[in-house]
Amino acid sequence: MFMFRCFGNLIRVWTVMMSSRMLVKFKDAMRDEMFHFKVATPHKKGKAQHFVDSEDDVASEAQSHYSSTSDVTSLTEDVMIDGADEQQASVEEYEEKLRTCIDNMMDKSTKTRQSALESLRCAFSQKLLSDFLSERKMTITDSLERCLKKGKGEEQSLAAAVVTLLVLQLGSAGEAEQCFLSLRPVLASILGDPTASMSARQSCATSLAMCCYLATDDIEEVANIMACLEGVFVSAYPRGNGNLQNHGPARQALHCTALNAWALLLTVCPPSFLQNVLESHLPKLPTLLTIEDVNIRIVAGELIALLFELAIEVDEGFQYGDLTELCHCLRDLATDGTKSRAKAERRRQRSIFRDVLKGVEEGEAPSETVRFGSECISVDSWVRRRTYHAFREALGSGVCRHLQQNELVRDIFELGPPLLLDGKSLRNSKLSRFERHWYNSAAFKARTKARGKMRDKRADVL
């Protein structure tokens, strides 16, 4: 008990001592504060006011402020310089890889050449390399010609695809036309060679049509390429006795590619040439709607709608001879429910032929909006649809990049010069989180309704 009392007394004494010390410190602090207040108080002498603060202190403070500001500025400049150096280094490294691929096209190994062609195909479709390729166009053209002549199968197919992208990169100047004219004979030779692989012939058909569309305005040249393509798909028409020929899947795929390539060039033909096409091909195309291959049926249907659209543009009073029978055939395909065909094929066929039927009966075309960055294009006609699909097939996922930056592609789709957007403009062009959520919700609802109609068997009955 005595010990507890002693301990309590010690605590009270310690508390009193700490309180007295704090009081002394508080008084000293107040005394210092009053002293500084008096020193800093201005002395009134007339209208002017003078402070007693030292000019050296002010100068040192200003010097430290400007020193810190200059340090931040120099650091920002260093970061920008480092970023530019890194970007330049990455560009040089990328161009060095491209030079290696160009050299590898002349390698003795077939696998090395194919790997180089595949790398160039991906690079040309994803990036705009006009300046780089313009300096090496002759070397690349000679290498591609060698791959087309000496290669087989897959190598020829890749080389033809790279030819298309090379012409697309070089633009509408004379360089692209020169490249096309030098490679056209070998491309046409492979297309007409029955012993060449089907994949190589398909790629050459697409390359001939795209290069002719991009690089030349000579109507005679367009007519010659269209004649080469007609020589390929004309065998799909019925024989003299009216019976269709039996072709394998590879041959039918070649017919589809040739028809699509021919349709692309048809969009730039003059009215006088178009009249001959309507007389010679429009009566025969409906016979392709009865072929078992769904792809040929779809290509033929879209080509019929394209010809009707072009014919009405030339002559508003255009009348097709047996329109009733043609519409009946298209309506059957738009409501086809044959169980022997795959469900996905039936859905795809019904969807496309509903649009084709509207195009033939009412002169309407399906409308589609393609967005890329802050811009968009409207695909609202069969001519524009065929053109956009051709570029999309050639460029793949790089079509948006070329729509934004490639002057030739922008001129074809009437987009004007490429936009120069800074970082702020790019940020402003992006949708906010709420806008993205609203857009996704609306798209989800529309997709659900469309799928519900597609699943409903009653939608197949007109």
Side-chain angles (χ1 to χ4, degrees):
M1 190 68 179
F2 175 76
M3 292 179 65
F4 282 109
R5 288 178 180 177
C6 292
F7 183 71
N9 293 332
L10 288 173
I11 291 176
R12 282 193 293 271
V13 171
W14 182 80
T15 304
V16 173
M17 291 175 63
M18 293 299 295
S19 299
S20 61
R21 289 182 180 179
M22 291 179 65
L23 183 60
V24 172
K25 289 183 179 181
F26 177 76
K27 289 180 178 181
D28 294 338
M30 288 297 293
R31 189 183 300 109
D32 295 339
E33 187 69 18
M34 291 298 294
F35 173 76
H36 288 296
F37 178 77
K38 290 178 180 179
V39 171
T41 302
H43 298 275
K44 297 182 180 179
K45 293 183 179 180
K47 295 183 180 180
Q49 294 182 356
H50 303 277
F51 291 88
V52 188
D53 289 342
S54 173
E55 295 181 0
D56 295 337
D57 296 338
V58 176
S60 64
E61 182 179 357
Q63 183 177 2
S64 64
H65 171 71
Y66 288 118
S67 176
S68 62
T69 304
S70 63
D71 291 342
V72 174
T73 305
S74 62
L75 179 61
T76 305
E77 293 177 353
D78 292 342
V79 171
M80 293 177 64
I81 292 173
D82 293 342
D85 292 340
E86 290 179 0
Q87 184 177 5
Q88 181 64 25
S90 63
V91 171
E92 293 177 356
E93 182 181 357
Y94 189 79
E95 291 181 352
E96 182 61 31
K97 291 180 180 179
L98 289 177
R99 283 190 286 268
T100 302
C101 292
I102 294 172
D103 294 338
N104 288 340
M105 283 196 296
M106 302 295 290
D107 196 87
K108 294 182 179 180
S109 173
T110 303
K111 291 185 178 180
T112 302
R113 294 197 302 269
Q114 290 182 5
S115 178
L117 289 169
E118 179 63 27
S119 299
L120 290 176
R121 186 185 66 82
C122 294
F124 292 177
S125 63
Q126 296 296 330
K127 290 183 177 293
L128 199 63
L129 306 165
S130 304
D131 296 336
F132 176 84
L133 297 177
S134 180
E135 299 173 356
R136 300 164 178 83
K137 60 181 182 298
M138 295 303 298
T139 302
I140 299 174
T141 301
D142 293 341
S143 300
L144 289 172
E145 184 176 6
R146 184 180 183 278
C147 291
L148 289 170
K149 288 182 177 180
K150 304 296 183 181
K152 300 292 182 183
E154 184 65 20
E155 182 178 352
Q156 290 178 321
S157 179
L158 289 171
V162 174
V163 170
T164 302
L165 297 174
L166 176 62
V167 172
L168 187 62
Q169 289 273 355
L170 293 176
S172 58
E175 297 177 345
E177 185 174 7
Q178 182 181 0
C179 175
F180 167 60
L181 293 178
S182 63
L183 294 174
R184 179 199 58 188
V186 63
L187 291 171
S189 175
I190 296 173
L191 175 62
D193 185 5
T195 62
S197 70
M198 291 298 176
S199 61
R201 297 179 70 185
Q202 284 181 248
S203 188
C204 288
T206 302
S207 181
L208 279 171
M210 285 291 293
C211 293
C212 184
Y213 183 89
L214 293 168
T216 182
D217 295 329
D218 188 1
I219 300 302
E220 293 184 2
E221 187 66 35
V222 174
N224 292 333
I225 299 301
M226 291 185 70
C228 292
L229 296 169
E230 286 180 20
V232 174
F233 69 78
V234 73
S235 60
Y237 288 150
R239 297 176 180 175
N241 57 6
N243 296 328
L244 291 171
Q245 304 180 47
N246 293 325
H247 299 290
R251 174 78 60 173
Q252 291 176 343
L254 176 61
H255 291 163
C256 288
T257 303
L259 282 168
N260 278 327
W262 185 77
L264 176 65
L265 295 180
L266 193 64
T267 61
V268 295
C269 287
S272 58
F273 186 84
L274 181 63
Q275 187 64 34
N276 296 330
V277 171
L278 292 173
E279 294 176 359
S280 58
H281 288 278
L282 191 55
K284 299 178 182 178
L285 283 172
T287 60
L288 302 182
L289 300 177
T290 59
I291 295 179
E292 286 296 322
D293 186 75
V294 65
N295 294 317
I296 289 187
R297 292 198 302 270
I298 289 175
V299 170
E302 291 179 337
L303 184 53
I304 290 171
L306 175 64
L307 285 172
F308 267 77
E309 183 178 85
L310 293 173
I312 293 174
E313 289 181 359
V314 174
D315 181 13
E316 294 183 357
F318 169 76
Q319 294 291 334
Y320 181 69
D322 200 352
L323 183 61
T324 303
E325 184 178 353
L326 176 61
C327 291
H328 179 72
C329 181
L330 295 175
R331 190 174 290 107
D332 289 342
L333 293 171
T335 59
D336 184 18
T338 306
K339 299 298 182 181
S340 60
R341 294 171 181 168
K343 185 182 292 185
E345 289 185 359
R346 294 200 306 268
R347 288 179 178 176
R348 178 167 167 246
Q349 174 182 289
R350 288 197 296 262
S351 175
I352 292 176
F353 274 97
R354 279 194 289 265
D355 295 332
V356 172
L357 183 61
K358 286 184 179 180
V360 172
E361 287 184 332
E362 305 172 12
E364 296 182 1
S367 181
E368 179 185 1
T369 301
V370 180
R371 300 186 182 276
F372 50 96
S374 59
E375 301 175 272
C376 65
I377 58 173
S378 179
V379 183
D380 53 1
S381 66
W382 289 102
V383 171
R384 206 169 177 85
R385 177 188 175 95
R386 178 84 288 274
T387 305
Y388 173 72
H389 285 186
F391 278 86
R392 189 181 64 182
E393 291 167 5
L395 293 169
S397 60
V399 64
C400 292
R401 175 66 62 87
H402 283 264
L403 284 171
Q404 288 177 318
Q405 300 178 1
N406 193 314
E407 294 182 0
L408 175 59
V409 177
R410 293 182 65 86
D411 183 58
I412 290 172
F413 290 98
E414 302 175 351
L415 293 170
L419 300 181
L420 299 177
L421 298 177
D422 54 7
K424 184 177 180 180
S425 300
L426 290 174
R427 288 192 298 270
N428 293 335
S429 65
K430 294 181 179 179
L431 298 176
S432 64
R433 183 178 179 181
F434 173 76
E435 290 173 335
R436 290 198 304 271
H437 175 72
W438 180 85
Y439 177 79
N440 291 334
S441 299
F444 175 77
K445 291 180 181 178
R447 186 166 59 251
T448 302
K449 290 181 180 180
R451 288 176 176 175
K453 290 181 180 179
M454 295 297 293
R455 293 190 184 100
D456 191 356
K457 294 182 180 180
R458 292 175 295 178
D460 296 337
V461 181
L462 297 179

